[in-house]
Amino acid sequence: NAGVTQTPKFRILKIGQSMTLQCTQDMNHNYMYWYRQDPGMGLKLIYYSVGAGITDKGEVPNGYNVSRSTTEDFPLRLELAAPSQTSVYFCASSYSEGDHNEQFFGPGTRLTVL
Amino acid sequence: AQSVAQPEDQVNVAEGNPLTVKCTYSVSGNPYLFWYVQYPNRGLQFLLKYITGDNLVKGSYGFEAEFNKSQTSFHLKKPSALVSDSALYFCAVRFRGFKTIFGAGTRLFVKA
């Protein structure tokens, strides 16, 4: 199993540009998440999904959109990039049964907006 | 407000010595508690979790954590630190379904 994969690993955007961060998992997990990690701030939840076709906002959803057309894929869309979106983005997934299941994280995408 | 605190930004320990990374939380109800580790340029990896039962939980790489309900703490411990344990450690609390709160992280530095 590849686990959770993310592309790209690095990206530099200009203010106002758009991009999609890709996330795929091959563990048949129903739950998927997008986090951003800022220095000294831990992880903040952007969006999550409990299954194909179902998504909801997390703590910091402004400026982002998601879709979940399949169990495997959970792309994150930035429509109008802003410097405040400079961060490291992590996709994660977990089993659907029970609140006690740990999350599996991808390697991250380092995004810089200039 | 629900919160997770890791009071130390960095913990320094000599190789072979015991280590402790602290975590306290403020969450209503009975949350599930987790520790994750992050190596440079990598995603977080699960170390261990507390669900119920024995307050001492054992996890990967020789790590263990002690749950203390009265002090609302979940400190990570290891009897003998290795240089390869140097990394960023995150405490996390999960409650109300799938919402998880992460601490800000503690950087562990093990000196040879």
Side-chain angles (χ1 to χ4, degrees), chain B residues 42-82:
Chain B
R42 302 287 297 276
L44 278 68
Q45 298 176 32
F46 168 74
L47 271 181
L48 51 78
K49 63 184 175 184
Y50 174 82
I51 302 173
T52 187
D54 193 347
N55 290 342
L56 186 63
V57 179
K58 295 188 182 298
S60 306
Y61 313 120
F63 283 93
E64 56 190 27
E66 186 170 12
F67 170 64
N68 188 316
K69 187 173 183 178
S70 62
Q71 297 184 0
T72 60
S73 67
F74 190 54
H75 300 331
L76 182 69
K77 301 181 179 183
K78 188 174 183 181
S80 179
L82 299 173

Side-chain angles (χ1 to χ4, degrees), chain A residues 9 24 27 30 38 49-50 53 61-62 82 88 96-97 106 108 111-112:
Chain A
K9 291 185 178 180
T24 300
M27 296 173 283
N30 277 340
D38 300 315
S49 170
V50 300
N62 291 344
V88 181
S96 56
E97 297 298 326
L111 175 67
T112 301

